[in-house]
PDB file of all heavy atoms in Angstrom:
ATOM      1  N   GLU A 178     113.667 -52.872  29.934  1.00  0.00           N
ATOM      2  CA  GLU A 178     114.046 -52.369  28.609  1.00  0.00           C
ATOM      3  C   GLU A 178     113.439 -53.256  27.527  1.00  0.00           C
ATOM      4  O   GLU A 178     112.964 -52.769  26.476  1.00  0.00           O
ATOM      5  CB  GLU A 178     115.568 -52.306  28.449  1.00  0.00           C
ATOM      6  CG  GLU A 178     116.205 -51.135  29.219  1.00  0.00           C
ATOM      7  CD  GLU A 178     117.721 -51.161  29.143  1.00  0.00           C
ATOM      8  OE1 GLU A 178     118.284 -52.203  28.689  1.00  0.00           O
ATOM      9  OE2 GLU A 178     118.352 -50.177  29.551  1.00  0.00           O
ATOM     10  N   GLU A 179     113.449 -54.567  27.750  1.00  0.00           N
ATOM     11  CA  GLU A 179     112.846 -55.496  26.801  1.00  0.00           C
ATOM     12  C   GLU A 179     111.331 -55.320  26.756  1.00  0.00           C
ATOM     13  O   GLU A 179     110.735 -55.286  25.681  1.00  0.00           O
ATOM     14  CB  GLU A 179     113.214 -56.935  27.162  1.00  0.00           C
ATOM     15  CG  GLU A 179     114.677 -57.269  26.983  1.00  0.00           C
ATOM     16  CD  GLU A 179     115.147 -57.175  25.539  1.00  0.00           C
ATOM     17  OE1 GLU A 179     114.305 -57.327  24.632  1.00  0.00           O
ATOM     18  OE2 GLU A 179     116.344 -56.910  25.313  1.00  0.00           O
ATOM     19  N   VAL A 180     110.717 -55.224  27.914  1.00  0.00           N
ATOM     20  CA  VAL A 180     109.268 -55.097  27.979  1.00  0.00           C
ATOM     21  C   VAL A 180     108.793 -53.829  27.266  1.00  0.00           C
ATOM     22  O   VAL A 180     107.783 -53.840  26.559  1.00  0.00           O
ATOM     23  CB  VAL A 180     108.778 -55.113  29.452  1.00  0.00           C
ATOM     24  CG1 VAL A 180     107.286 -54.780  29.529  1.00  0.00           C
ATOM     25  CG2 VAL A 180     109.048 -56.482  30.073  1.00  0.00           C
ATOM     26  N   MET A 181     109.515 -52.747  27.442  1.00  0.00           N
ATOM     27  CA  MET A 181     109.119 -51.485  26.819  1.00  0.00           C
ATOM     28  C   MET A 181     109.156 -51.567  25.294  1.00  0.00           C
ATOM     29  O   MET A 181     108.458 -50.835  24.592  1.00  0.00           O
ATOM     30  CB  MET A 181     110.012 -50.353  27.302  1.00  0.00           C
ATOM     31  CG  MET A 181     109.820 -50.003  28.790  1.00  0.00           C
ATOM     32  SD  MET A 181     108.096 -49.645  29.207  1.00  0.00           S
ATOM     33  CE  MET A 181     107.771 -48.169  28.241  1.00  0.00           C
ATOM     34  N   ARG A 182     109.937 -52.473  24.782  1.00  0.00           N
ATOM     35  CA  ARG A 182     109.984 -52.673  23.315  1.00  0.00           C
ATOM     36  C   ARG A 182     108.705 -53.348  22.812  1.00  0.00           C
ATOM     37  O   ARG A 182     108.429 -53.333  21.619  1.00  0.00           O
ATOM     38  CB  ARG A 182     111.203 -53.490  22.919  1.00  0.00           C
ATOM     39  CG  ARG A 182     112.509 -52.743  23.040  1.00  0.00           C
ATOM     40  CD  ARG A 182     113.677 -53.569  22.466  1.00  0.00           C
ATOM     41  NE  ARG A 182     114.895 -52.775  22.407  1.00  0.00           N
ATOM     42  CZ  ARG A 182     115.842 -52.801  23.340  1.00  0.00           C
ATOM     43  NH1 ARG A 182     115.706 -53.585  24.399  1.00  0.00           N
ATOM     44  NH2 ARG A 182     116.920 -52.037  23.248  1.00  0.00           N
ATOM     45  N   TRP A 183     107.934 -53.972  23.708  1.00  0.00           N
ATOM     46  CA  TRP A 183     106.688 -54.596  23.291  1.00  0.00           C
ATOM     47  C   TRP A 183     105.638 -53.547  22.872  1.00  0.00           C
ATOM     48  O   TRP A 183     104.679 -53.910  22.205  1.00  0.00           O
ATOM     49  CB  TRP A 183     106.076 -55.426  24.420  1.00  0.00           C
ATOM     50  CG  TRP A 183     106.920 -56.537  24.907  1.00  0.00           C
ATOM     51  CD1 TRP A 183     108.065 -57.034  24.342  1.00  0.00           C
ATOM     52  CD2 TRP A 183     106.667 -57.342  26.067  1.00  0.00           C
ATOM     53  NE1 TRP A 183     108.542 -58.094  25.091  1.00  0.00           N
ATOM     54  CE2 TRP A 183     107.710 -58.296  26.156  1.00  0.00           C
ATOM     55  CE3 TRP A 183     105.680 -57.327  27.039  1.00  0.00           C
ATOM     56  CZ2 TRP A 183     107.772 -59.219  27.187  1.00  0.00           C
ATOM     57  CZ3 TRP A 183     105.729 -58.257  28.047  1.00  0.00           C
ATOM     58  CH2 TRP A 183     106.781 -59.202  28.123  1.00  0.00           C
ATOM     59  N   GLU A 184     105.811 -52.305  23.226  1.00  0.00           N
ATOM     60  CA  GLU A 184     104.808 -51.288  22.960  1.00  0.00           C
ATOM     61  C   GLU A 184     104.483 -51.197  21.465  1.00  0.00           C
ATOM     62  O   GLU A 184     103.366 -50.863  21.083  1.00  0.00           O
ATOM     63  CB  GLU A 184     105.257 -49.930  23.487  1.00  0.00           C
ATOM     64  CG  GLU A 184     105.281 -49.856  24.998  1.00  0.00           C
ATOM     65  CD  GLU A 184     103.915 -50.132  25.621  1.00  0.00           C
ATOM     66  OE1 GLU A 184     102.920 -49.634  25.076  1.00  0.00           O
ATOM     67  OE2 GLU A 184     103.861 -50.856  26.612  1.00  0.00           O
ATOM     68  N   ARG A 185     105.433 -51.479  20.613  1.00  0.00           N
ATOM     69  CA  ARG A 185     105.169 -51.451  19.177  1.00  0.00           C
ATOM     70  C   ARG A 185     104.167 -52.508  18.743  1.00  0.00           C
ATOM     71  O   ARG A 185     103.575 -52.435  17.681  1.00  0.00           O
ATOM     72  CB  ARG A 185     106.477 -51.613  18.390  1.00  0.00           C
ATOM     73  CG  ARG A 185     107.170 -52.929  18.645  1.00  0.00           C
ATOM     74  CD  ARG A 185     108.572 -52.948  18.014  1.00  0.00           C
ATOM     75  NE  ARG A 185     109.301 -54.142  18.364  1.00  0.00           N
ATOM     76  CZ  ARG A 185     109.185 -55.304  17.706  1.00  0.00           C
ATOM     77  NH1 ARG A 185     108.364 -55.409  16.694  1.00  0.00           N
ATOM     78  NH2 ARG A 185     109.900 -56.344  18.080  1.00  0.00           N
ATOM     79  N   LEU A 186     103.962 -53.518  19.624  1.00  0.00           N
ATOM     80  CA  LEU A 186     102.998 -54.574  19.326  1.00  0.00           C
ATOM     81  C   LEU A 186     101.649 -54.275  19.954  1.00  0.00           C
ATOM     82  O   LEU A 186     100.685 -55.005  19.739  1.00  0.00           O
ATOM     83  CB  LEU A 186     103.523 -55.900  19.880  1.00  0.00           C
ATOM     84  CG  LEU A 186     104.882 -56.376  19.343  1.00  0.00           C
ATOM     85  CD1 LEU A 186     105.366 -57.587  20.122  1.00  0.00           C
ATOM     86  CD2 LEU A 186     104.786 -56.701  17.862  1.00  0.00           C
ATOM     87  N   ASN A 187     101.599 -53.208  20.747  1.00  0.00           N
ATOM     88  CA  ASN A 187     100.408 -52.940  21.545  1.00  0.00           C
ATOM     89  C   ASN A 187      99.381 -52.128  20.765  1.00  0.00           C
ATOM     90  O   ASN A 187      99.215 -50.933  20.979  1.00  0.00           O
ATOM     91  CB  ASN A 187     100.805 -52.229  22.834  1.00  0.00           C
ATOM     92  CG  ASN A 187      99.631 -52.066  23.773  1.00  0.00           C
ATOM     93  OD1 ASN A 187      98.568 -52.673  23.567  1.00  0.00           O
ATOM     94  ND2 ASN A 187      99.822 -51.276  24.794  1.00  0.00           N
ATOM     95  N   GLU A 188      98.693 -52.783  19.854  1.00  0.00           N
ATOM     96  CA  GLU A 188      97.701 -52.092  19.019  1.00  0.00           C
ATOM     97  C   GLU A 188      96.303 -52.172  19.597  1.00  0.00           C
ATOM     98  O   GLU A 188      95.394 -51.500  19.115  1.00  0.00           O
ATOM     99  CB  GLU A 188      97.719 -52.677  17.608  1.00  0.00           C
ATOM    100  CG  GLU A 188      99.051 -52.529  16.895  1.00  0.00           C
ATOM    101  CD  GLU A 188      99.081 -53.201  15.536  1.00  0.00           C
ATOM    102  OE1 GLU A 188      98.100 -53.861  15.217  1.00  0.00           O
ATOM    103  OE2 GLU A 188     100.079 -53.034  14.815  1.00  0.00           O
ATOM    104  N   ARG A 189      96.103 -53.014  20.608  1.00  0.00           N
ATOM    105  CA  ARG A 189      94.756 -53.210  21.169  1.00  0.00           C
ATOM    106  C   ARG A 189      94.535 -52.386  22.448  1.00  0.00           C
ATOM    107  O   ARG A 189      93.474 -52.477  23.034  1.00  0.00           O
ATOM    108  CB  ARG A 189      94.513 -54.695  21.458  1.00  0.00           C
ATOM    109  CG  ARG A 189      94.546 -55.560  20.202  1.00  0.00           C
ATOM    110  CD  ARG A 189      94.217 -57.011  20.569  1.00  0.00           C
ATOM    111  NE  ARG A 189      94.322 -57.899  19.425  1.00  0.00           N
ATOM    112  CZ  ARG A 189      93.339 -58.154  18.582  1.00  0.00           C
ATOM    113  NH1 ARG A 189      92.174 -57.546  18.726  1.00  0.00           N
ATOM    114  NH2 ARG A 189      93.518 -58.980  17.554  1.00  0.00           N
TER     115      ARG A 189
END
Side-chain angles (χ1 to χ4, degrees):
E178 285 175 349
E179 292 296 333
V180 172
M181 292 306 295
R182 289 188 172 95
W183 298 351
E184 290 301 318
R185 61 189 174 84
L186 302 171
N187 187 11
E188 298 176 355
R189 297 183 183 273

